[in-house]
Amino acid sequence: MGVPIEKIEWMYETMYKIRYYEESMVNIYAEGKSPVFNIGAGTVPGEMHLAAGQEPAAVGICAHLKREDTVTAPHRPHHNAIAKGVDLNLMTAEIFGRKTGLGRGKGGHMHLFDPNVKFSCGGIVAAGLPHAVGAALAAQMKGEDWVAVAFIGEGAANAGAFHESLNLAAVWKLPLIVVVEDNAYGISVPKSASTAVASNVERAAAYGIAGYSVKDNDPITMYEISERAVQLARRGEGPTLIEIETFRYLGHFQGDPELYRNKQEVPSLQKRDPLLRVEALLKKQGIQEIEIKHMQERAIAQVDAAYQFARESDYPNATQAFEDVFVVGM
Amino acid sequence: MSISIHKRLLTGNKALAEAIALEMESDPNVFVMGEDVGVYGGIFGATEGLYQKFGSTRVRDTPISETGFIGAAIGAAAEGMRPIAELMFVDFFGVCMDQIYNHMAKIHYMSGGHVKLPMVLMTAVGGGYNDAAQHSQTLYATFAHMPGLKVVAPSTPYDLKGMMISAIRDDNPVVFMFHKTLQGLGWMDQLDYSIGHVPEEAYTVPLGKANVVREGKDVTIVAIQMMMHRANEAAKQLAEIGIEAEVIDLRSLVPLDKETILESVRKTHRLLIVDEDYRSYGMTAEISAIVAEEALYELEVPIRRLAVPDVPIPYSRPLEQAVIPSVEAILDAAKQLVQH
Ligand SMILES: Cc1ncc(C[n+]2csc(CCOP(=O)(O)OP(=O)(O)O)c2C)c(N)n1
Ligand SMILES: [Mg+2]
């Protein structure tokens, strides 16, 4: 198996960080929302879509990306953002609606923009995919070897934007990689009820581009396939679609009663938790328990610091609502 | 309103679902489609219980393919079906606006009246719970701007039911907007006015008729949905300081009941218009223009309008609160008009 140990360590620590971030958010989001749950109340209001369980998709490909590569993500963006290296303090402050946030509190959890690492996300399903096509086009026109990665859910693959984007990327041979995170549901609708083909890899073939599927939420396979896809794109040999079967441990959003899924489903997925599997792999490769502990502690410290930074930041003044509609001075 | 001993209280969402169920029972051509309208019952509960009652043929979960299924509603309506298509949040109109603007709105006209589209496009609107720029808009005017669409936005459970039945029975395409926070959902802000008296039987409330929800002689406040409820709150506080505001619930943007507005202005000679949509080129501008054209000399002071001040809806709580008109803002504006 050809994955360098430093990469496995990076993936483990990043996955751990993501998991701890999302699990902490479950509690923080609940602050101020009891005894009566009210989506608009508490420390963090608004919708909250968390990605605990979906870490492999994010780390498997971001392990191959550099700062100049673009990533677009959908409404469930935290894992993608963290793996791409978005500033955790600024991202968290944004989710808290503080003026120190990435978007000075204007965007919130679904609308994170970090141009420093070329990351963006948005709340309209499939909308980020054409943006990634555009970033790939820019890279091609500038003659750079940069790539663009669009993360989307499997539900988004039924939107027109998905089909138009695949064709566009294929016909222009753009350095685009589409990562379909198949967590089996679009809110309550199972993939089988929304998607006429079993795998979106079949759709990649229909558009004349390479397609691979990653089974069972496996970060190592995700890493290996992504390596090929990124190399192909950097060499100017066109787009790839990767669909990974992944796990949504939590509701579609926090507060989702989840009446549409069997209560046994998540516990059975958790038995195959990717973090446990990578931890076992690290041990097998001779990494000591204490080193693993250090990685976990580093991840926890960084996340805790980000949440503290957000809590200690001020809210914007009401007058700031009127700024940033247009570019100043134009 | 008549006094009844047994008030049957329903939340907004249940009133809507009941209206749809009654029409589905009486007309086999009525059916529902949209994302999560089946087992989930609609994210905002507008189709609660329908799947269990009517099954998956008439209550259809769709893929995330709005152009596809809203276009399909148009095609089915042209065949004589009476589809109700749910666009989960009005903000998602962007991905399917061609179907709405160029087809749903225009086919009857372009066919010289030969093709009818008896369909309802039902959609959730409104902010105030920090869902940010892509999930908090009302976009009333965006839809009302296009000729050929009826656009309604009821504010009470009673009107939600009665106007939904009217919308389903209407042979025109109707954009039916319900306000998320007026659905009476357990996971949103609990507002008294999201629950109200709803008779059990099928009844209709006409599309295109405003409702004077509070009579007064000093100032007219025209509003719709959440802004109407806030105007009503403000009117109660104005009454305490001796100002009698007349509050008009527009209920329907197209057709627009100008007469009710003009009649009120002729009585109060002062007009405040409140909107949860953007200010420029919107409902407040439209009504101001109508009053200027038809009753300018009735006005004792210039018209005032409150609306989202031409910025996208920001996420952060203090920012969002600054841009959506509040009870206090309405109160201040009304006071200034009267004390001018
Ligand atoms: C154009 C559009 N339609 C509908 C929605 C509402 N919506 C938000 S997330 C979602 C489900 C997305 O499913 P999937 O793409 O599988 O992503 P997941 O939530 O499973 O991560 C839907 C229908 C939206 N945001 N945008
Ligand atoms: Mg999904």
Side-chain angles (χ1 to χ4, degrees):
Chain A
M1 200 203 47
V3 184
I5 187 71
E6 321 80 68
K7 289 287 190 182
I8 303 177
E9 286 175 328
W10 179 85
M11 286 201 285
Y12 179 76
E13 188 169 326
T14 308
M15 286 171 68
Y16 194 92
K17 194 192 300 179
I18 294 167
R19 181 69 57 84
Y20 181 70
Y21 191 88
E22 298 294 70
E23 286 178 346
S24 304
M25 184 61 88
V26 169
N27 299 323
I28 291 165
Y29 185 73
E31 283 174 19
K33 291 190 180 69
S34 63
V36 194
F37 183 88
N38 172 1
I39 186 171
T43 308
V44 177
E47 282 177 74
M48 181 53 67
H49 313 85
L50 298 176
Q54 298 190 194
E55 301 86 358
V59 299
I61 188 153
C62 289
H64 304 286
L65 300 185
K66 46 187 186 181
R67 203 185 64 80
E68 293 81 5
D69 297 323
T70 293
V71 166
T72 69
H75 56 284
R76 193 182 306 289
H78 301 169
H79 58 318
N80 310 136
I82 293 171
K84 182 61 169 78
V86 169
D87 186 300
L88 205 58
N89 285 7
L90 305 191
M91 160 174 153
T92 308
E94 184 59 30
I95 296 169
F96 277 55
R98 307 305 166 106
K99 71 176 178 195
T100 51
L102 286 170
R104 308 176 211 244
K106 293 204 174 80
H109 125 94
M110 282 189 275
H111 318 100
L112 304 166
F113 297 85
D114 189 350
N116 273 329
V117 296
K118 297 216 231 168
F119 177 88
S120 66
C121 61
I124 306 296
V125 164
L129 185 37
H131 305 165
V133 170
L137 175 64
Q140 191 188 61
M141 291 175 75
K142 286 172 192 267
E144 299 284 357
D145 72 345
W146 308 336
V147 304
V149 175
F151 289 100
I152 60 164
E154 90 297 334
N158 299 312
F162 170 84
H163 296 271
E164 296 184 20
S165 296
L166 284 197
N167 184 59
L168 202 48
V171 79
W172 289 344
K173 250 185 164 204
L174 297 177
L176 174 78
I177 299 123
V178 179
V179 177
V180 182
E181 298 185 45
D182 175 9
N183 62 8
Y185 295 93
I187 310 188
S188 71
V189 181
K191 187 185 188 187
S192 58
S194 69
T195 311
V197 291
S199 165
N200 281 300
V201 170
E202 295 177 45
R203 288 169 163 177
Y207 289 105
I209 69 173
Y212 300 95
S213 61
V214 177
K215 300 288 173 210
D216 203 28
N217 211 12
D218 180 20
I220 301 301
T221 315
M222 182 67 199
Y223 176 94
E224 290 169 340
I225 287 174
S226 299
E227 184 167 36
R228 251 186 282 171
V230 172
Q231 281 172 0
L232 199 74
R234 286 207 203 288
R235 285 199 307 262
E237 290 171 33
T240 301
L241 177 146
I242 304 170
E243 180 164 71
I244 174 169
E245 284 176 2
T246 190
F247 307 153
R248 197 190 84 197
Y249 286 163
L250 298 162
H252 170 69
F253 46 53
Q254 294 306 102
D256 176 358
E258 291 191 80
L259 300 176
Y260 51 84
R261 75 166 161 176
N262 188 315
K263 294 277 166 272
Q264 300 315 310
E265 194 175 300
V266 172
S268 93
L269 294 174
Q270 280 166 330
K271 290 201 186 104
R272 310 194 320 265
D273 189 85
L275 262 171
L276 298 178
R277 283 187 280 166
V278 180
E279 189 178 329
L281 181 66
L282 284 174
K283 286 179 183 157
K284 211 170 108 197
Q285 304 232 339
I287 303 297
Q288 300 298 309
E289 194 94 39
I290 182 79
E291 291 175 68
I292 293 175
K293 192 112 191 59
H294 284 323
M295 291 184 224
Q296 295 175 348
E297 282 165 359
R298 262 200 312 269
I300 289 172
Q302 204 191 338
V303 171
D304 286 345
Y307 280 121
Q308 195 181 341
F309 173 80
R311 279 186 198 280
E312 288 170 358
S313 294
D314 290 330
Y315 281 100
N317 298 323
T319 53
Q320 290 180 277
F322 299 85
E323 299 169 0
D324 305 319
V325 179
F326 292 106
V327 174
V328 177
M330 294 298 287
Chain B
M1 209 192 238
S2 66
I3 313 280
S4 66
I5 299 165
H6 299 290
K7 282 225 165 185
R8 186 170 170 270
L9 295 177
L10 288 190
T11 54
N13 82 298
K14 290 203 162 67
L16 265 182
E18 186 168 274
I20 298 171
L22 285 166
E23 292 307 286
M24 287 181 75
E25 273 161 17
S26 62
D27 183 349
N29 289 319
V30 178
F31 72 102
V32 185
M33 56 181 164
E35 291 150 23
D36 305 279
V37 298
V39 175
Y40 201 105
I43 295 300
F44 300 102
T47 58
E48 199 181 287
L50 298 181
Y51 176 87
Q52 290 74 9
K53 210 181 236 159
F54 298 101
S56 59
T57 307
R58 293 181 71 196
V59 184
R60 310 179 77 95
D61 272 332
T62 62
I64 308 171
S65 310
E66 287 86 357
T67 292
F69 76 80
I70 290 172
I74 293 170
E79 295 290 330
M81 301 295 285
R82 291 187 169 270
I84 301 163
E86 181 175 85
L87 176 63
M88 189 187 292
F89 288 67
V90 75
D91 312 69
F92 309 156
F93 79 109
V95 301
C96 50
M97 201 50 157
D98 174 60
Q99 291 299 334
I100 299 168
Y101 249 50
N102 282 322
H103 306 275
M104 184 175 153
K106 294 174 182 160
I107 283 178
H108 183 68
Y109 186 79
M110 295 189 298
S111 72
H114 292 306
V115 181
K116 289 190 196 124
L117 300 180
M119 63 178 287
V120 179
L121 178 66
M122 168 166 83
T123 188
V125 307
Y129 63 102
N130 310 99
D131 220 3
Q134 298 177 337
H135 288 74
S136 301
Q137 302 169 100
T138 64
L139 300 178
Y140 298 131
T142 301
F143 292 84
H145 184 62
M146 175 51 63
L149 300 173
K150 289 195 176 178
V151 184
V152 302
S155 317
T156 64
Y158 183 90
D159 285 349
L160 281 164
K161 178 170 171 183
M163 290 175 77
M164 177 50 86
I165 292 179
S166 295
I168 296 169
R169 293 182 189 173
D170 202 297
D171 282 345
N172 292 289
V174 178
V175 178
F176 190 103
M177 299 171 147
F178 61 81
H179 197 289
K180 287 164 237 171
T181 314
L182 297 175
Q183 290 288 83
L185 302 170
W187 48 277
M188 298 196 85
D189 206 1
Q190 305 284 307
L191 303 174
D192 288 346
Y193 25 81
S194 62
I195 300 178
H197 172 57
V198 178
E200 200 166 347
E201 70 279 3
Y203 61 90
T204 58
V205 171
L207 311 183
K209 190 82 198 76
N211 192 16
V212 179
V213 292
R214 183 187 179 99
E215 291 189 20
K217 60 175 177 31
D218 297 325
V219 55
T220 299
I221 311 180
V222 177
I224 201 164
Q225 292 194 318
M226 189 58 77
M227 295 302 104
M228 184 282 289
H229 290 294
R230 291 195 179 166
N232 230 354
E233 291 295 329
K236 282 181 205 156
Q237 297 182 35
L238 287 165
E240 287 165 19
I241 55 167
I243 297 174
E244 295 302 330
E246 178 145 302
V247 179
I248 296 177
D249 179 5
L250 215 48
R251 299 199 286 199
S252 167
L253 294 144
V254 181
L256 179 67
D257 181 2
K258 332 192 259 195
E259 264 326 303
T260 298
I261 300 167
L262 292 169
E263 205 176 296
S264 178
V265 169
R266 285 184 201 115
K267 178 170 77 174
T268 64
H269 310 291
R270 290 174 170 82
L271 177 61
L272 169 63
I273 313 159
V274 192
D275 193 6
E276 197 186 327
D277 197 2
Y278 305 115
R279 178 181 169 95
S280 294
Y281 305 96
M283 178 193 104
T284 60
E286 182 61 30
I287 293 174
S288 300
I290 290 170
V291 171
E293 283 174 336
E294 304 194 24
L296 183 62
Y297 300 115
E298 295 288 346
L299 292 170
E300 268 179 36
V301 293
I303 296 168
R304 274 296 301 271
R305 47 192 182 124
L306 290 173
V308 177
D310 295 336
V311 303
I313 312 279
Y315 163 67
S316 183
R317 193 175 283 132
L319 301 185
E320 191 190 29
Q321 285 173 352
V323 305
I324 298 181
S326 61
V327 174
E328 297 68 43
I330 299 170
L331 192 64
D332 285 348
K335 272 198 257 179
Q336 285 167 20
L337 269 178
V338 175
Q339 292 159 0
H340 192 83

